[in-house]
Amino acid sequence: MLIKYKIDKEAAKKETWFHPLQGRTVCIADIADKMTDEEAEIFYKGGCKAIEKLPELPAESAAPATKTK
């Protein structure tokens, strides 16, 4: 599983948001370690400053790796 978001844990201590999947207000720092990419995307798109979207990596080649001499 590729992680698409990075959470600044210090900045997250200052961020409280309504969590639509839990139906309550949460401190981002309290849920940062268990947060899924789906949840991070919700907060990121909502404007949470503690969450940064990581650049997408190019897809790896389908060819198997070969050993060079």
Side-chain angles (χ1 to χ4, degrees):
M1 179 176 150
L2 291 174
I3 296 176
K4 300 175 185 176
Y5 295 91
K6 176 183 166 189
I7 301 170
D8 178 343
K9 292 187 182 179
E10 281 302 310
K13 291 177 183 178
K14 300 174 187 164
E15 299 267 358
T16 55
W17 288 76
F18 177 77
H19 193 302
L21 303 176
Q22 293 182 8
R24 62 187 178 93
T25 301
V26 297
C27 176
I28 298 300
D30 291 343
I31 63 169
D33 291 334
K34 298 176 187 170
M35 190 181 297
T36 65
D37 276 344
E38 177 187 14
E39 291 170 311
E41 185 172 8
I42 291 168
F43 296 120
Y44 174 78
K45 287 183 175 180
C48 181
K49 304 293 185 218
I51 299 175
E52 175 186 339
K53 187 170 186 175
L54 297 174
E56 292 194 27
L57 301 174
E60 291 188 47
S61 171
T66 57
K67 185 175 181 179
T68 57
K69 294 183 180 181

